[in-house]
Every structure is written in C-alpha cells, then in structure tokens.
Amino acid sequence: MTRRKGAAVLGAALLLALLANEFVVVGVKSAATADDGSKQTRRVRSQSAHLASLVRVVRGAVALCETFLDECWLDSGTLLGARRSGRVLRWDEDGDLGVSRAAHLKLSALSAANETIWCTAMNSTRRTPCQSLDDFLAERALRLDWTGRVEDVIARVVDPETELYVDLFVYFRYEREKPLENRFSHKVALHLTETEKVAYQGGGLVHGVFSRAWTGTCMSCKTRRKDDRKVPVFPADWIFPLRRCQIEGVSAWCPHETERVLTYMYGESFLTPPASTRPAARLALYAAVVLGAYRAWDCRAAG
C-alpha cells in the first residue's frame, strides 16, 4: 500500500508541475537582448499576465504605426496569429511588425526631434496636430528601445512592467526601374533565385535583413552559411499595397497577399496550430507522462 501511495504522490506532484506550466511563463526574453544567441533574462509570470501584457504592447505598437508611420504592417508570428484567429499566439514571446526603410528613417527622425507632428486622419484630408512620439508612448506606459542591431531588429516597443516587446523589422523595397545589380546589396543578391529575379523585373522585390529571428521558423528564407542567419525575400506585390486586418480588436495593416507571405514563412499548413499547442493534445500528453511515471515508480518499488 505504501508503494502505491508513493507512486500516487509522485504522479500527483508531476501533474501539478505540468499544469503549472499551463499557467506560468518561464524564461521570457528581456527587451535588452536580441535573437542572436546572447544571454536571456529569465522571468516568471502567470500565463494570463503574459498574454495581457503582450496584447497591450501589440495594440500600442499598432497604434504607433497608425499615428506616425505609413508603411508598417503585422509580420511573422503576429501576422500568423491575426490570420488564424485575430489574436496573438498564446505561446508567443513577443510581437512582430515590419516597417519599410522609409518608415524606419521617419521613426528615427521623430524619436530624435520629439516634436508634435501633423497627421492626416483616416478617410479625411484634414490635418490635425498629433502628440510627440514621447508623449504618445508615455500616455500608453510604453517605451521605444533602439537596439543598435540592424541585422536583427531596428527597434522595440516595450512594456516596461513586464519587458515584453514588439520587434520592428526593417524591409527594403526595390522597384523594377532600377537595375537589379545596382539596387541589391551583394550579400542579398547572391541568394536570389532566377524566379525571384523574374519577379523583381515584373514589379519589384521586398527583402528584410539577415537575422536569427527567422532561424528555425521561416521555411523559405535564404540562409547565410557563415552564421545561419536568414533573410526573407518577397515580390513587392505580396506586401504592397497594404490591406486592412484585425488583431486583438484593433485595425492594423497586413501584407496584400497575407496567405502567400505566411505560406513562404511557415509552409502550406500554416493555418493548423502545432499539436503541442492544442489543449486536448497537451492534456493527453500530460496524462501519458503521469501514468508512465506512476507505473515506473510502482514497478521499481515492486522490484
């Protein structure tokens, strides 16, 4: 009886630990680090607090784009969440936005000047004064961090309370009237296929920068052998003109061909969540682990 009681206690403890994993987030990346293998700050918070913070910072980053920038759109995992359910992914550690080079330069100038700018309201030609960038962030209890790592992200919109953030990835847009060899940097041009060169001649291409952020997630990105960083390359008409979409109850910009972009990054089955993220599958896995531990303990004690 004692043997079985011990096995039951072990199984119960293991089950509690596994269930705690559903409600506690451990090891969230800090805002001071990039996806470059550097040391990460480990934090612990409840799953509900994690999601609430992530939703808040994504909404804040989208609002920043709506207020100050022209070419800024949902990217990577945040775009995937918007397409699947209109929400951020439950297991995501951060948010992702893409910005054009022009938007990047504009944001840099606004950050440096910290002056009130004039904005044009949507569906209106009337221009009204907007807040300065600092006032906008302060009102929403957010901050903007310039990372200094162009090959990863240019900046992050951060929730100071939790250090959760939205990465801003810069993308470069090249039009067909410019010769390909003169417009693409050598390191990117080397990775273009003939199909992509034809797409460029037909209307332009958009590419990001080599980053570890896409390593292990982007299926069709080009890989740089020396450090395994990847770069996405799209026909320009996959991204522009941007289209309206929804994320966490707010309107945002998404790529014109969202389906193609997500297929490029995550494959044909991008709409199907991995089994490990489905509640039923996780519950079955937990039950199997607990049962296995119980039997192993029971057999060991019996021997």
Side-chain angles (χ1 to χ4, degrees):
M1 187 69 178
T2 302
R3 182 181 72 236
R4 291 187 176 278
K5 184 177 180 180
V9 170
L10 174 64
L14 182 58
L15 180 60
L16 287 174
L18 292 171
L19 289 176
N21 186 55
E22 293 296 303
F23 301 100
V24 178
V25 179
V26 180
V28 176
K29 294 180 291 185
S30 78
T33 58
D35 298 299
D36 58 1
S38 57
K39 185 177 180 180
Q40 308 294 335
T41 298
R42 302 192 68 82
R43 295 174 177 270
V44 179
R45 64 175 61 88
S46 70
Q47 180 70 46
S48 60
H50 175 88
L51 282 175
S53 175
L54 187 57
V55 168
R56 193 171 79 82
V57 74
V58 165
R59 285 175 174 167
V62 169
L64 184 149
C65 286
E66 293 287 311
T67 304
F68 296 103
L69 306 179
D70 298 320
E71 294 181 333
C72 180
W73 60 92
L74 303 187
D75 194 24
S76 302
T78 304
L79 178 64
L80 180 61
R83 177 60 185 85
R84 280 184 183 167
S85 63
R87 304 177 64 183
V88 298
L89 299 176
R90 178 179 180 275
W91 59 89
D92 223 349
E93 290 187 344
D94 57 22
D96 305 290
L97 293 178
V99 299
S100 66
R101 175 63 172 165
H104 169 212
L105 295 175
K106 182 176 181 180
L107 187 62
S108 299
L110 289 171
S111 180
N114 190 32
E115 296 176 351
T116 300
I117 64 169
W118 288 85
C119 299
T120 303
M122 192 181 305
N123 300 322
S124 172
T125 58
R126 200 179 88 180
R127 293 168 63 79
T128 58
C130 292
Q131 295 171 296
S132 69
L133 182 60
D134 282 0
D135 289 342
F136 175 92
L137 293 166
E139 184 179 273
R140 290 161 177 78
L142 299 172
R143 76 169 187 264
L144 184 67
D145 287 352
W146 294 95
T147 67
R149 297 182 177 93
V150 173
E151 289 205 357
D152 287 293
V153 293
I154 57 167
R156 285 173 170 156
V157 179
V158 186
D159 179 352
E161 184 176 343
T162 63
E163 296 297 327
L164 287 176
Y165 53 82
V166 171
D167 279 335
L168 303 184
F169 293 96
V170 64
Y171 283 83
F172 297 82
R173 182 178 181 178
Y174 295 117
E175 302 299 342
R176 61 179 176 270
E177 61 267 17
K178 301 292 184 180
L180 183 63
E181 61 274 12
N182 293 344
R183 296 300 294 164
F184 279 96
S185 64
H186 180 65
K187 66 180 182 181
V188 172
L190 284 176
H191 292 262
L192 296 183
T193 65
E194 288 303 315
T195 300
E196 289 161 343
K197 290 179 181 178
V198 170
Y200 166 79
Q201 297 298 340
L205 281 176
V206 174
H207 76 78
V209 293
F210 283 98
S211 172
R212 290 193 188 278
W214 292 299
T215 300
T217 58
C218 183
M219 297 185 66
S220 301
C221 285
K222 313 303 174 185
T223 302
R224 189 166 64 185
R225 291 184 179 179
K226 70 176 183 178
D227 55 12
D228 291 328
R229 292 176 185 263
K230 290 190 173 184
V231 60
V233 181
F234 308 111
D237 58 8
W238 285 18
I239 306 295
F240 302 108
L242 299 175
R243 302 178 66 175
R244 280 290 170 186
C245 57
Q246 295 285 319
I247 182 75
E248 294 296 345
V250 299
S251 179
W253 289 111
C254 280
H256 190 75
E257 297 286 350
T258 292
E259 302 275 336
R260 288 185 171 182
V261 170
L262 289 175
T263 298
Y264 176 95
M265 301 195 75
Y266 300 106
E268 296 286 346
S269 60
F270 69 84
L271 281 177
T272 305
S276 60
T277 66
R278 301 174 201 164
R282 294 172 74 89
L283 183 60
L285 175 62
Y286 291 166
V289 169
V290 171
L291 181 60
Y294 176 87
R295 288 183 173 178
W297 179 278
D298 196 33
C299 292
R300 181 180 178 183

